[in-house]
Each structure stands twice: as structure tokens, then as C-alpha cells.
Amino acid sequence: MSNTSNAALGLGQSPALASGFQFPSIHNFPPFYTLQPTASTWKNQADLWSTIVIRYYRHHRLYLLDLDDSTITNEQLFNNLRINRKLKPETIQAIVDEMVKKGDAEWDATSKKRRAIIYWRKPEDWAAMISSWVFESGLNNSILTYYEIAHGDNSEDQEFYNIHPTVLQKSMDILVKRGVAATFQGANFEEMGVKFFRAGA
Amino acid sequence: MDRWDPIQLTSTFRPQLEPYETIQITQDQVGLYDGRLKAEEYPNGTVYLTSERLLYIDAKNPARKSIGLPLRLISGIHNYGGFMSSSPKITLELYTRGSIADPQSSSDLIASRDNTSTGMDASLGSLSLKSEPSWVCSICYHSNQGGVMKCAVCGVKKPAGSDTPTTPAADPFLLNEHLYINGVSSNSHSQTSLNAATGFVDVTSSDPGYGGGGGDHPGIACPACTFHNDPFMIQCEICGTQLQDAESVAFMLHRQQQHQRSISQLPSTIAPSGSTSTSANEGSSYFKDNSSTTSTLGKGIVSSISNLVYTRNSPTRDSSKTPTEDTNSVKLSFRAGGNGHFHSALKTAMATRAWESKPKPEVAKKPVPNSADSLTTSTLKLGGISAVMRKVETNRIETDQVLSQAFQDLQGLMDKAAEMVALAETISNRLAKSNIMDNEQTATFKTYLLSMGIAAPVTKDTAGAVFHKELARELVEFILPIVEREGGTMSLMDVYCVFNRARGVELISPKDLHTACTLFLDLNLPLRLRKFDSGLLVIQTMARYSDDEVSETISTRIRRLPPGAGLSAVELASAIQISVALAQEQLLMTEARGLICRDESVEGLKFFDNLFAKWEI
């Protein structure tokens, strides 16, 4: 991942994870795990972290970052066993705060900044992706459930397969606002229905 | 004013002292008067009294308007306490120009003079050339050579107060008066002899219109033991003999008679005066001062002195003042007080006469050996290495003696301070010359020697009201090279330790140091006191070591570390020889500039190069 100028900075490259993900070598930089008190330095650091978090989440198709879930904080993303450094939950929170400011993440309103959705794609992108998929597969003018979109047999090869319900809802809201689709109330979230009217958005 | 010379100042506008010269007292807000008129050029400044000079350093323009007056030119001191809006003043009477009042110049003549003159048989003509001041033993009245410290006949010490030779040509009082009388600089009087005394009397009584001069007498000589007591003593400090006794009363009466007689002889310039009683005390003490010498010289000199004393103190003095007299006195006006201490310090300095005890250059002492002497010395003389060895051995023994004397007690150490510093300098010079400097121990020893070295520390006693200003100046002079060696910044704690170690016994309190440091800005000195955000106080040089430079040095140092290694404050402190607190501050300052970043872990706080700024994602 690191290009030549980064390699010149002299940090060792970690081996790729089992999932095939490769951290950039800045991930082995000890100060990367300390919240920098200098504003300009911290901005650079937070930018680097958000890039790595988004890459990691996209690679592993993850959506939710929960600070109360110890598996998240102990994950290799935030815990570098090689240099024995680990991000503190407060620092992760600060990083997510920065990501929220840029629109790369959103706090779950009820969680008091403990849970966040990481937008490795923007809701607008998801909306466009879903609607184009619907029209391409000729599913417009019929009602689809949310379950069919996220977990249906037809969408299995799509990037939004297993999409997080909150992200899906956000994307649908965007489509409804544009007048591309209409939602129908169901018994539960997965039985919510959506009908697409015409192509394009 | 033309008697004053420009003086050398240090970088901090303190006077540059001669070797063995020490500052006795300092007073600010002093104005100078030339004679009776204000010296417009020198309205307000700081006056330093050293053991040899009186120095005026102007408050506004110290570089150009700083002048000094050698104490040896001063013949007398008057203290005026001030009244209403007039400030207290000290008047300094100066020797007339051209008079042989300069012991330095007269001592140069020693070589050209033989020591055969006993005074009694010396002719007037030959004596006019022989200007070396001699002195008369107070016990046996043997006339001794000026350079001799003990009487050649009976071995009694030269009296301290009357260090001035009794030779008319060199006695400050007599000479001055004499010159006023004649209006010319003539030395046509025999020294320490009856002839001289009587000759003097003749001159005096023939024209007693003298009105200036005058001065501070060193004290009352005890009639029993000849010890010179303070003029206000009633009993002798040494033997307890009555000083203000019947004799002085008798003397007073006698002097009054003399006065009546002299009045009848006088020209009309001297008005009869009724103030004899007020001047009686001074007159009698003056008399006693010289009594040991004069008592055997006959009544003539007694009467002459009493005449002089009287005329000097009589109201006729003002009327007989001449313009030349004005230029021969200087007034110091103490606008902020402090004249009392200054007066007593000045008196002490005048009595000590440090300029006379100063070691003279080797050349002046070298005698011309006669043939017999050169013969004996040549037979004793050792050549080659053995002579060198013996010289070295002698030097070593002398050094040992100085050291053991100096460390016997604190007072001794203070007295020897100048010598110790000189010794330290010679040792460090010798070390610098020798080639075996790579020895670490030698290097350490040398740093110890370098950090010794304030010969005459500024104290509250000597500096008084200007103590903190003087302290700040002294501190800058002393600490500037050290701060620069330390990289431009030193914590106040380190400064305190180093400075006090150099001062030796005259230790200062942390508060004094802090106050002195806060004055750096006002005094326009090249150092600044700085308070870091953490509360750490440091002093640093002004321009050369800016924050930019420090942070650049530190970030370069960190960049040179192997990849993945950080730098802690402790490591930095030991690497560049500064205190940990200071190293920490410098790192934080560098961090705040975004050049480095931190890593907080169980291992502590370490700093790394700021890769975040350079990383291309």
C-alpha cells in the first residue's frame, strides 16, 4: 500500500492479514496510537486513521463500530501486537468524531457516541447502486422487501449484500425523497417494502 | 571635572576593575558638582566606590559619560547632611595639580634615590629633588625610607593612619596648605626634620591667608600607645588612656593664645573670629594626630599647626576662597540618600589606601646590584634543570601555603578570594597549555576551576539600594559564557547553583536571583528570564538561540535516530547536557510546532519525527 516516499520513512511493513488486508506501514508507527496534542499533527493523524478505518471496513464489509464491543477495540485495526500499541477507546471516539465531521461516519443517535456507522460508501452512493441494480434486473414497478435487497438471492453478488439496516434505510430515504421509490410499512424492518417507479436518479 | 578620567566599562555597563581592585559601596541617583556649580554633564548616575577609585556611571548614557577619579587625588572629605530641599552632599577636596601627591609616580622615583638622607642634615636644595616620601618613627623618631614598613632602628611598625609620610612635600594636609600659601608648586622644604618644621612655620605665619584644603583626619593618636583612635573616642581602644583629657583642654587654651598672637601678625584678610570653641575639638584632634611627631619638634610647629587649624575652621575661609580652589573640589549630591554609608566607606577606603599596598611591577623593585652582591649571587646561582626544579618546588610550597591559609576559616577565604581566583586561572591556563587534556578527569577539574571566579561579589552591603541591578549585571557577566556553552538556555535552578558556587561565601537567596533576573529587560542586558507554560523558569540568551533554532536542532536529532526509535526528555537531557525539565520543555515546544509527535506508552513519553505530515496515503 505504501508508495516509495512512504517506504523511505523507514517503518517496517506488516505482513498481510489472513483476510488479505494489508495495513500501511504507518500502522507500525508508535505515535500513531497516541492522541497528538498539537492540532495540526492531530488533523493529519485523524485523516490517516479514517482512511485506514474505511479501507479496513470496506475490505471486510463492516458497517458498525461499537466501542462497547471489546472485539472491535481488540481487533488488529486498533491493536498492533507487533509494536505493542493499542488505541484507547477515547482516541477511537475522537477519530470517529473527525470522520463524522467529514461525513465518513455517523453516530447512532441513541448510543451517546458509543456506536457509529462507518460510511465506506456514502448513502447517496448506496442509493444509486441499489436503484441501478433494481432497474437492471427488471425489478421496478414491483414491491421488494428490505430483506430481499440486503439478503436476497438476487443481490448476493452485489456490494450492498448484507448491508447494514441503518445504511439501507438511509439510502431508501434518499430514493423516496427523490421520488424514485415509495416505501411501505411492514411488520418489522425486514418486511418493509419498497417500490421503484422509474429509472434514473 | 578635568581631574576625572574616562573609564572602561564591561558589556553590562559595570566598571571594569583593575586587578586587586574591589567595589566597596555603590549608590545610585548621585549627581556631580564641579566645585560649587552643578556639573551639567553628569546630573544623575550610579557612583561606585572601589578600593582605588571613585567611579561615576551615568544613568542615561553610560557608554560615553562614565568617569573615574583615583582616590589618591583626594585630600579631604566633608559630609553635608542636607537641609530642606537640598540633597545630602559629600565634598571631596582634591590635591592641587602638579603636587607630588601621587604615590604611584613618586614610587617610580625610588630607584633614582639613595637612602642616606636622615632628614636632619639634608640640605634644602638636595631635598627638592628627593621627592620620595619618608616617615618618622613614632617611637624613636628615626626618619625611615618610604618603602620601609617597619622602623629601621626600633622595628616599630609604620603607623597605619598616618601612612602618609610626614614629609611636608608629601603630607596631604601640610602640602596642600603650603601650596595654597605660595601659589606655586614648590618642594623647597626639608622632610621630617626640625628644619622642615620650622621652615614650614615661617611660611605659614608669614602669610596665613590660607582658606581651602582641609580634610578628614584619620583619628586621635593615643598619647600612651600611639594607636590612632576614631575622633569620637574618649578613651584609647587599645590601652584605655584618656584621650580628651586635661591636656587637650590645656592645648585649647594654648591654641587660643596662639591665635591671638597670630591675629596680630596677620594681614587684614582674616577677620577676628569668635568661633574658637566650635573648632576646638577638631583642632585638638588634628593636633593629637600629629602629636607624636610634632611634640619634639618644638613649639614652633605646634603653633603653626594650631594656626592652620584655626584658619581652616574660621569663617574667613569662605571669603578667602579663590577660583582655583573650586576646581579642586568635587561634590557628590545624593538625591536618594545613602550618603552616610558612602561617607564612612569612603573614609575607610581613604584610610586603607589600597593603591599603595598593591603589588608593584617587578621592574620597579629590581635593585641595581653592587659588585659584591653580584659576586655572591653568581656563586649561589644554580643553572639548568636544577634551577627550574627548585623554582617549581618553591612555587609549589607557596601555593600550598596560600591554600592552607585560605581555607583556615571563612574570613580567611574571603580575604584570599582574589588570590584564589588568580590561582584557579593560572592552573586552568597551565592545563590549557599542556597536551594531556584528553584526560576526562582533567577536563572535569577544569570546569570546576572555570566556575570559580567572582572575586568581588556584589553584596547588599556594597550595593545597597541598587543591589538587584548590580546583581543582575554581575550575573550576566558571569553566566553569559556558561549559558552559551549550555546551548543558550539554563533553568533558573541550575543558574542558582552555579552562580552561588562561584560567589563562594556571599550567597544569595533564590528570591534575590529571581528579582535580579526580572530586571534583565529594564537594564537592556543580553539575557532574558522566561517562564514556560509548565511554570519552569529559565534564562536564555536573546537572539542567538531562538525557539526556531532549538526546535530545528531537536527535530534533526530525532530524525537521525534509527527508524522506530523515539527520544525521551531524559535521553535528550543527557545527550545535550541540559536539565530534564528543560529538555522536556524544548521537546514540547518542538512538538507544538508540529515538527515531532509523541508516543505515550508504558515506557513513558517519547518523541518521534512527525511522519503524519509527510505520509502520502
Side-chain angles (χ1 to χ4, degrees):
Chain A
M1 288 243 177
S2 63
N3 55 34
T4 45
S5 71
N6 288 343
L9 297 173
L11 294 168
Q13 185 76 31
S14 307
L17 301 180
S19 63
F21 184 76
Q22 172 97 51
F23 282 114
S25 56
I26 194 82
H27 198 251
N28 290 330
F29 187 45
F32 203 37
Y33 297 85
T34 304
L35 201 160
Q36 297 299 326
T38 310
S40 59
T41 313
W42 162 243
K43 195 183 170 300
N44 289 329
Q45 188 191 16
D47 285 352
L48 286 170
W49 265 118
S50 64
T51 311
I52 292 175
V53 167
I54 286 169
R55 280 186 191 170
Y56 185 87
Y57 268 63
R58 180 188 292 142
H59 189 268
H60 295 97
R61 299 281 171 93
L62 298 173
Y63 295 91
L64 188 68
L65 193 155
D66 190 346
L67 293 175
D68 296 324
D69 182 355
S70 62
T71 56
I72 296 281
T73 50
N74 286 331
E75 226 177 321
Q76 278 169 312
L77 174 61
F78 297 128
N79 186 6
N80 191 330
L81 296 170
R82 191 176 151 201
I83 60 163
N84 198 19
R85 291 291 188 281
K86 186 178 171 177
L87 271 184
K88 289 180 188 163
E90 308 89 87
T91 314
I92 300 176
Q93 197 176 43
I95 290 168
V96 175
D97 261 337
E98 291 294 320
M99 293 175 74
V100 170
K101 273 186 215 163
K102 290 193 294 177
D104 289 338
E106 187 172 338
W107 288 114
D108 183 357
T110 60
S111 67
K112 293 180 181 167
K113 289 197 177 184
R114 299 303 294 177
R115 277 195 312 278
I117 303 294
I118 306 296
Y119 293 134
W120 42 276
R121 276 194 200 287
K122 300 254 154 79
E124 293 81 11
D125 296 346
W126 287 123
M129 204 180 282
I130 290 168
S131 64
S132 64
W133 168 73
V134 166
F135 289 108
E136 275 167 25
S137 48
L139 295 169
N140 52 337
N141 294 322
S142 64
I143 295 173
L144 289 164
T145 61
Y146 281 10
Y147 184 85
E148 280 175 292
I149 294 170
H151 307 290
D153 295 343
N154 289 329
S155 66
E156 209 166 346
D157 57 342
Q158 294 299 317
E159 208 172 2
F160 52 83
Y161 189 72
N162 280 337
I163 193 172
H164 193 270
T166 314
V167 184
L168 182 57
Q169 182 63 56
K170 284 227 171 245
S171 312
M172 289 306 120
D173 290 347
I174 288 169
L175 291 173
V176 169
K177 215 181 244 174
R178 285 181 190 161
V180 178
T183 50
F184 302 92
Q185 209 66 31
N188 54 37
F189 183 80
E190 290 186 341
E191 286 176 18
M192 292 273 285
V194 61
K195 184 180 177 183
F196 289 83
F197 303 115
R198 51 182 151 73
Chain B
M1 232 61 250
D2 54 348
R3 308 297 291 273
W4 297 69
D5 302 315
I7 54 169
Q8 295 278 318
L9 297 183
T10 63
S11 56
T12 57
F13 298 127
R14 294 181 75 221
Q16 184 95 51
L17 300 183
E18 304 282 330
Y20 299 99
E21 191 176 6
T22 53
I23 291 178
Q24 308 291 323
I25 196 164
T26 316
Q27 179 65 47
D28 62 345
Q29 294 187 46
V30 177
L32 295 188
Y33 280 64
D34 191 6
R36 313 191 68 184
L37 298 167
K38 261 186 197 174
E40 299 292 341
E41 290 278 288
Y42 309 101
N44 182 17
T46 306
V47 170
Y48 293 77
L49 174 70
T50 76
S51 51
E52 294 171 29
R53 289 179 295 171
L54 190 69
L55 307 169
Y56 170 89
I57 294 183
D58 196 72
K60 280 195 185 134
N61 194 351
R64 273 191 290 157
K65 288 199 212 162
S66 294
I67 47 176
L69 180 75
L71 290 186
R72 59 189 152 81
L73 294 183
I74 299 172
S75 62
I77 316 161
H78 299 292
N79 192 6
Y80 163 66
F83 181 69
M84 303 290 277
S85 63
S86 133
S87 310
K89 290 179 186 64
I90 292 180
T91 310
L92 307 171
E93 308 276 355
L94 305 182
Y95 287 121
T96 332
R97 186 185 301 281
S99 70
I100 309 164
D102 184 343
Q104 288 300 112
S105 64
S106 63
S107 67
D108 295 340
L109 297 169
I110 292 174
S112 67
R113 182 182 188 269
D114 63 333
N115 58 356
T116 52
S117 102
T118 57
M120 291 306 280
D121 56 357
S123 71
L124 293 177
S126 66
L127 277 167
S128 62
L129 294 170
K130 295 169 183 175
S131 51
E132 193 223 336
S134 64
W135 57 283
V136 171
C137 171
S138 57
I139 300 297
C140 67
Y141 306 116
H142 176 74
S143 174
N144 288 289
Q145 216 184 324
V148 182
M149 291 312 287
K150 279 182 185 172
C151 175
V153 174
C154 62
V156 170
K157 262 188 162 180
K158 187 177 178 179
S162 63
D163 213 309
T164 359
T166 50
T167 314
D171 184 296
F173 303 120
L174 299 184
L175 172 71
N176 210 7
E177 289 154 2
H178 161 70
L179 288 172
Y180 272 115
I181 294 153
N182 288 316
V184 287
S185 167
S186 134
N187 297 322
S188 64
H189 288 289
S190 141
Q191 53 187 17
T192 62
S193 67
L194 197 55
N195 289 350
T198 48
F200 186 65
V201 169
D202 291 338
V203 173
T204 318
S205 51
S206 68
D207 182 10
Y210 159 78
D216 236 57
H217 40 75
I220 310 170
C222 171
C225 69
T226 73
F227 178 77
H228 282 252
N229 289 284
D230 188 86
F232 299 104
M233 292 297 285
I234 297 170
Q235 288 186 328
C236 174
E237 274 187 285
I238 299 298
C239 61
T241 311
Q242 282 284 329
L243 296 173
Q244 317 276 358
D245 55 4
E247 192 197 329
S248 68
V249 177
F251 164 69
M252 256 168 60
L253 291 168
H254 169 72
R255 197 177 48 74
Q256 274 179 350
Q257 285 170 3
Q258 285 294 137
H259 165 59
Q260 296 298 335
R261 211 177 303 157
S262 66
I263 287 288
S264 61
Q265 294 169 1
L266 290 184
S268 56
T269 48
I270 293 180
S273 157
S275 70
T276 49
S277 59
T278 54
S279 62
N281 193 32
E282 196 177 338
S284 69
S285 57
Y286 183 80
F287 170 68
K288 281 179 159 289
D289 186 15
N290 294 285
S291 62
S292 56
T293 320
T294 52
S295 55
T296 54
L297 296 181
K299 282 198 171 180
I301 191 150
V302 174
S303 63
S304 81
I305 288 170
S306 57
N307 267 336
L308 283 171
V309 167
Y310 177 69
T311 51
R312 187 192 303 139
N313 291 297
S314 71
T316 58
R317 176 177 151 187
D318 281 345
S319 61
S320 66
K321 257 192 176 161
T322 58
T324 43
E325 188 191 346
D326 274 347
T327 61
N328 279 323
S329 74
V330 171
K331 266 195 230 173
L332 307 176
S333 176
F334 290 82
R335 314 241 152 85
N339 59 313
H341 288 298
F342 203 90
H343 182 241
S344 49
L346 189 56
K347 265 168 76 178
T348 317
M350 293 290 292
T352 315
R353 303 178 80 83
W355 57 92
E356 284 183 353
S357 59
K358 200 161 75 166
K360 296 196 172 66
E362 288 291 319
V363 196
K365 278 196 255 174
K366 201 175 278 175
V368 181
N370 58 30
S371 57
D373 279 347
S374 59
L375 195 68
T376 49
T377 46
S378 64
T379 50
L380 286 170
K381 206 160 147 190
L382 293 166
I385 291 172
S386 57
V388 175
M389 297 278 283
R390 207 171 66 164
K391 185 94 196 306
V392 169
E393 181 64 15
T394 321
N395 280 346
R396 194 188 61 76
I397 291 168
E398 274 176 16
T399 309
D400 274 357
Q401 279 172 348
V402 172
L403 279 171
S404 57
Q405 278 172 18
F407 289 109
Q408 254 171 8
D409 57 47
L410 281 179
Q411 188 60 48
L413 184 62
M414 284 166 77
D415 292 344
K416 294 268 177 192
E419 276 182 59
M420 294 314 291
V421 170
L423 194 62
E425 273 170 16
T426 28
I427 293 175
S428 63
N429 281 344
R430 202 184 304 155
L431 286 176
K433 276 182 204 158
S434 67
N435 297 324
I436 43 164
M437 268 308 294
D438 44 3
N439 189 343
E440 196 180 322
Q441 214 176 350
T442 323
T444 316
F445 183 54
K446 201 174 164 218
T447 59
Y448 288 151
L449 291 173
L450 284 175
S451 59
M452 283 180 72
I454 299 176
V458 172
T459 63
K460 276 189 172 144
D461 293 339
T462 59
V466 288
F467 172 61
H468 287 117
K469 285 183 192 171
E470 286 300 299
L471 191 66
R473 294 197 164 111
E474 182 190 87
L475 175 64
V476 169
E477 281 169 31
F478 168 73
I479 210 87
L480 196 58
I482 299 177
V483 173
E484 286 183 359
R485 202 180 61 211
E486 299 278 320
T489 312
M490 261 178 106
S491 76
L492 209 55
M493 246 179 303
D494 293 345
V495 172
Y496 181 71
C497 294
V498 173
F499 191 44
N500 259 343
R501 185 165 68 188
R503 285 173 70 94
V505 284
E506 295 287 355
L507 301 183
I508 53 162
S509 73
K511 192 165 180 285
D512 286 337
L513 180 72
H514 183 242
T515 315
C517 289
T518 53
L519 294 173
F520 284 163
L521 185 66
D522 294 341
L523 298 173
N524 200 15
L525 297 172
L527 286 175
R528 289 287 177 271
L529 179 70
R530 176 170 175 184
K531 191 173 189 175
F532 278 109
D533 296 338
S534 61
L536 179 74
L537 287 164
V538 298
I539 61 171
Q540 47 186 199
T541 48
M542 264 173 69
R544 284 185 53 201
Y545 299 95
S546 62
D547 285 358
D548 291 326
E549 203 167 320
V550 168
S551 53
E552 191 53 49
T553 318
I554 288 178
S555 65
T556 312
R557 176 176 285 276
I558 286 176
R559 239 174 275 141
R560 289 205 189 115
L561 293 171
L567 186 72
S568 70
V570 178
E571 287 162 354
L572 179 66
S574 66
I576 61 173
Q577 301 282 314
I578 57 173
S579 68
V580 176
L582 183 59
Q584 175 94 5
E585 285 301 333
Q586 294 189 343
L587 285 168
L588 292 179
M589 186 262 295
T590 313
E591 185 197 25
R593 287 164 176 257
L595 292 168
I596 55 173
C597 57
R598 65 168 62 193
D599 168 37
E600 284 168 359
S601 69
V602 284
E603 296 159 34
L605 183 61
K606 288 198 170 200
F607 288 88
F608 290 76
D609 189 20
N610 187 356
L611 295 185
F612 305 131
K614 299 168 191 165
W615 195 265
E616 295 163 26
I617 200 84

